[in-house]
């Protein structure tokens, strides 16, 4: 799989790994990268960008980057680097915005933080399912069509979260923003590369 990495995917993987190494060496660095609730005194607008490059544990970054490395190269080959970068950043920022806004309006007393590329990864999953719906892929060694993969992964993530620490709103937000973007691009006839 690592042999099939496209240039942008490789670069984003390296950035995520380097940031995670810095976090491991200097844990206080995470404080500046995480996305905090609007109600906390720690929220800063730049966090909508930085949170998606920080991760909470080895398994957090491992599973996010495995999913990214598995699917994003196909999208990059199909769309091109610029379009994939725009998409990745938009779904990641959009996921953070959905998470922050829902928490602000529905859980006004919440004061927490979020980090990880999961929102953007769910955007990639949704894009892959919409762009290559009938492509057969292997999910845990079980063949499945891409159009069903998004729902299976979403349900598995929700069911397997025993701690309640997974930001499901961000996952939904990334997939939702991806759905809107793909729909707009299709309407404009721009669902292929630039």
């Amino acid at each position: 799989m690592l042999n099939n990495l496209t240039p942008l995917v490789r670069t984003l993987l390296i950035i995520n790994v380097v940031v995670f190494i810095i976090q491991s060496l200097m844990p206080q660095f995470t404080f500046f990268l995480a996305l905090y609730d609007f109600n906390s005194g720690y929220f800063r607008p730049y966090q909508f960008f930085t949170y998606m490059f920080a991760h909470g544990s080895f398994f957090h970054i491992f599973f996010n980057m495995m999913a990214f490395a598995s699917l994003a190269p196909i999208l990059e080959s199909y769309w091109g680097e610029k379009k994939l970068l725009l998409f990745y950043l938009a779904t990641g920022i959009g996921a953070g915005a959905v998470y922050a806004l829902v928490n602000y309006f529905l859980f006004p007393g919440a004061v927490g933080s979020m980090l990880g590329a999961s929102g953007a990864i769910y955007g990639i999953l949704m894009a892959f399912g919409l762009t290559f719906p009938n492509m057969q892929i292997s999910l845990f060694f079980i063949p499945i069509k891409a159009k069903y993969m998004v729902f299976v992964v979403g349900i598995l993530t929700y069911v397997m979260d025993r701690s309640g620490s997974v930001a499901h709103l961000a996952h939904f937000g990334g997939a939702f923003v991806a759905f809107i973007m793909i729909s707009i691009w299709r309407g404009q006839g721009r669902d292929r590369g630039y």
Side-chain angles (χ1 to χ4, degrees):
M1 175 179 38
L2 295 177
N3 295 344
N4 299 327
L5 293 180
T6 48
L8 176 64
V9 171
R10 183 179 300 112
T11 300
L12 289 172
L13 284 170
I14 290 169
I15 290 169
N16 277 275
V17 169
V18 167
V19 169
F20 183 70
I21 291 169
I22 293 170
Q23 287 179 264
S24 300
L25 296 174
M26 298 185 299
Q28 66 275 20
F29 189 59
T30 303
F31 174 81
F32 297 102
L33 301 176
L35 173 61
Y36 289 88
D37 288 325
F38 292 142
N39 295 321
S40 79
Y42 304 120
F43 170 76
R44 302 291 181 270
Y46 73 83
Q47 295 166 355
F48 284 116
F49 176 78
T50 58
Y51 89 94
M52 69 178 108
F53 295 99
H55 289 84
S57 69
F58 172 78
F59 288 108
H60 189 200
I61 190 171
F62 177 78
F63 288 116
N64 276 344
M65 294 303 105
M66 283 297 290
F68 185 63
S70 298
L71 303 175
I74 298 169
L75 286 169
E76 183 174 344
S77 298
Y78 186 71
W79 284 343
E81 285 182 43
K82 290 179 185 175
K83 192 167 186 175
L84 178 63
L85 180 60
L86 168 69
F87 185 84
Y88 182 83
L89 294 177
T91 55
I93 292 169
V98 167
Y99 173 83
L101 289 170
V102 170
N103 273 345
Y104 180 76
F105 288 109
L106 296 184
F107 309 105
V111 179
S113 66
M114 177 183 72
L115 44 81
S118 302
I121 301 304
Y122 270 77
I124 294 291
L125 287 167
M126 178 63 79
F128 197 88
L130 291 171
T131 307
F132 307 107
N134 295 312
M135 183 181 284
Q136 199 83 4
I137 57 170
S138 180
L139 182 65
F140 303 114
F141 306 106
I142 300 168
I144 185 172
K145 287 189 176 181
K147 62 186 171 187
Y148 304 124
M149 172 196 58
V150 179
F151 301 105
V152 171
V153 171
I155 290 167
L156 282 175
T157 303
Y158 187 77
V159 169
M160 292 171 64
D161 176 31
R162 301 256 184 246
S163 66
S165 64
V166 175
H168 297 292
L169 283 172
H171 295 175
F172 170 78
F176 180 69
V177 171
F179 180 80
I180 291 172
M181 289 182 73
I182 298 290
S183 298
I184 291 170
W185 287 347
R186 282 187 176 161
Q188 298 171 341
R190 293 173 46 194
D191 55 335
R192 282 278 312 182
Y194 287 128

